Amino acid sequence: MSDSITPPSTIDVKTPHSESPPKFALLELSHISKYFGNVTALEDISTHVDAGAVTCVLGDNGAGKSTFIKILSGVHQQSTGDYLIDGTPVHFSSPRDARLAGIATVFQDLAMSPLLSVWRNFFMGSEAMVGPFLKANFMRNTAKSEMKKMGIDVRDIDQPVGTMSGGERQSVAIARAVYFGARVLILDEPTAALGVRQSGVVLKYVRAAADRGLGVIFITHNPHHAYPVGDRFMLLNRGHSLGDFAKSEITRDELTRLMAGGAELEALQHELSQSR
Ligand SMILES: Nc1ncnc2c1ncn2[C@@H]1O[C@H](COP(=O)(O)OP(=O)(O)O)[C@@H](O)[C@H]1O
Ligand SMILES: [Mg+2]
C-alpha cells in the first residue's frame, strides 16, 4: 500500500479543545473613542491583553491613560468603539460591574488604610467572618501565604500597611487582586512615585501576576519600566495612538524613541500655540 499520498483526513487528531490557542483575547478594545463635551480624550484606540500576558499603555501627561483605564474599569463608558471580554461585547455601567466581571483596578492612591495591618488591608471589604467575628487567624495566615506565593516575604503581617514602602504596598494590592480571583489586573502608574530599586520590586510582581495567568494592563510613562515586563505596547499621545505593538515588533530603543518623539511633538505643539 502506497503511503505517498495522504488524502485530507476527516479525522483531525491535532485539534482537541484544550490544545488549540484561545480564539479571542481575554480583553479587547476596538476603535475606542471618548469625548467629554467637545474635548477628545481618546480617538480610535485599539489594543488587547491575553491571559498570562502584560499589555503596557504608555503616554505622557494628558495622553488619555487615566481615561482609558476608567473605561476598562467601568468608571466611564466609551463614546464609540467596542469593549470585549472573551470576544463578547460588554457594557459596564459601574466599577462594580467591572469587578464582577473579574477586572481588578489598582489606582495610584491604592485606597488603603495606612493604620490598619497588612492582613486587614488585604481582606478590606471582603473580610472572612464567623457570625459577627473576624476569622483573624485565617486571614493572617492566608494573607501571608498568598503574598508568599507571589514571592513577597512580609516580615510582619500585623504591621500597619502605612509603614511599608510604596513598592510593598503595591505588592499587597496585586496579591489581593490575584487571591480574590481577578482575571484582569489594571495598574495605574504603579512605579511613577518610586525609586529605581522599588520600581524593580513592583515590576517583578507585575510579571508574577501575569505568570499566575492574569491578563495585566500596566500603565506607565517610562519605556524602561515597560519593556522588560511587557508583551505588548500601546502608545498614546494626546488621545491618539502612536501604535500597538507586540514585543517582537518593536525594540526597546524604538519604543523609547517613539515616547520621546511624542514628548517632542507635545513641546512643539505648545510652542506653536504660544507663538500664535
Ligand atoms: N471628566 C473629564 N472631563 C473633561 N475632560 C477630561 C475629563 N477627564 C479627562 N479629560 C481630558 O482628557 C485628556 C486626557 O486626560 P487623562 O486621561 O487624565 O490623561 P493621563 O492620565 O494620560 O494624564 C485631558 O486633556 C483631560 O483634560
Ligand atoms: Mg493619569
Side-chain angles (χ1 to χ4, degrees), residues 121-203:
N121 274 284
F122 189 98
F123 279 92
M124 184 74 66
S126 306
E127 285 80 2
M129 312 284 288
V130 201
F133 303 108
L134 291 174
K135 291 169 77 174
N137 279 334
F138 166 80
M139 289 191 281
R140 263 195 197 94
N141 295 335
T142 304
K144 182 138 180 115
S145 70
E146 284 302 313
M147 300 205 30
K148 187 121 197 205
K149 278 191 215 164
M150 298 281 299
I152 307 160
D153 195 13
V154 186
R155 275 145 300 174
D156 179 7
I157 202 77
D158 285 303
Q159 85 183 84
V161 91
T163 64
M164 292 181 117
S165 70
E168 288 171 328
R169 281 200 299 277
Q170 287 283 343
S171 73
V172 175
I174 294 171
R176 177 169 71 180
V178 172
Y179 174 68
F180 285 104
R183 299 184 66 204
V184 177
L185 175 65
I186 303 170
L187 300 160
D188 187 10
E189 303 220 40
T191 58
L194 304 178
V196 176
R197 225 185 75 83
Q198 286 290 311
S199 293
V201 170
V202 170
L203 294 175

Side-chain angles (χ1 to χ4, degrees), residues 10-244:
T10 50
I11 305 158
D12 188 352
V13 292
K14 279 188 297 187
T15 53
H17 294 298
S18 57
E19 283 183 25
S20 48
K23 214 166 159 186
F24 299 109
L26 170 50
L27 186 152
E28 179 170 2
L29 287 308
S30 175
H31 304 292
I32 294 282
S33 298
K34 177 67 184 177
Y35 312 112
F36 295 105
N38 50 22
V39 175
T40 300
L42 294 172
E43 182 76 50
D44 195 19
I45 301 303
S46 301
T47 191
H48 70 265
V49 64
D50 292 315
V54 178
T55 291
C56 300
V57 175
L58 291 121
D60 286 323
N61 282 339
K65 303 183 298 297
S66 293
T67 303
F68 187 70
I69 347 181
K70 283 177 183 166
I71 291 170
L72 298 184
S73 58
V75 177
H76 291 321
Q77 285 75 48
Q78 70 269 28
S79 306
T80 62
D82 292 318
Y83 180 177
L84 306 105
I85 294 182
D86 300 323
T88 305
V90 292
H91 301 277
F92 298 143
S93 43
S94 72
R96 189 168 176 274
D97 286 352
R99 277 200 302 276
L100 289 174
I103 316 268
T105 308
V106 177
F107 288 102
Q108 240 178 324
D109 60 15
L110 285 180
M112 286 194 182
S113 301
L115 297 178
L116 290 181
S117 64
V118 174
W119 66 270
R120 284 303 301 269
N121 274 284
F122 189 98
F123 279 92
M124 184 74 66
S126 306
E127 285 80 2
M129 312 284 288
V130 201
F133 303 108
L134 291 174
K135 291 169 77 174
N137 279 334
F138 166 80
M139 289 191 281
R140 263 195 197 94
N141 295 335
T142 304
K144 182 138 180 115
S145 70
E146 284 302 313
M147 300 205 30
K148 187 121 197 205
K149 278 191 215 164
M150 298 281 299
I152 307 160
D153 195 13
V154 186
R155 275 145 300 174
D156 179 7
I157 202 77
D158 285 303
Q159 85 183 84
V161 91
T163 64
M164 292 181 117
S165 70
E168 288 171 328
R169 281 200 299 277
Q170 287 283 343
S171 73
V172 175
I174 294 171
R176 177 169 71 180
V178 172
Y179 174 68
F180 285 104
R183 299 184 66 204
V184 177
L185 175 65
I186 303 170
L187 300 160
D188 187 10
E189 303 220 40
T191 58
L194 304 178
V196 176
R197 225 185 75 83
Q198 286 290 311
S199 293
V201 170
V202 170
L203 294 175
K204 199 175 101 189
Y205 302 134
V206 168
R207 200 57 241 179
D211 292 343
R212 295 280 301 271
L214 281 77
V216 180
I217 296 179
F218 171 38
I219 315 290
T220 180
H221 57 256
N222 191 333
H224 302 286
H225 290 180
Y227 202 77
V229 296
D231 298 292
R232 171 163 289 278
F233 308 93
M234 196 265 282
L235 288 95
L236 284 175
N237 185 253
R238 298 175 75 94
H240 293 263
S241 176
L242 296 179
D244 178 41

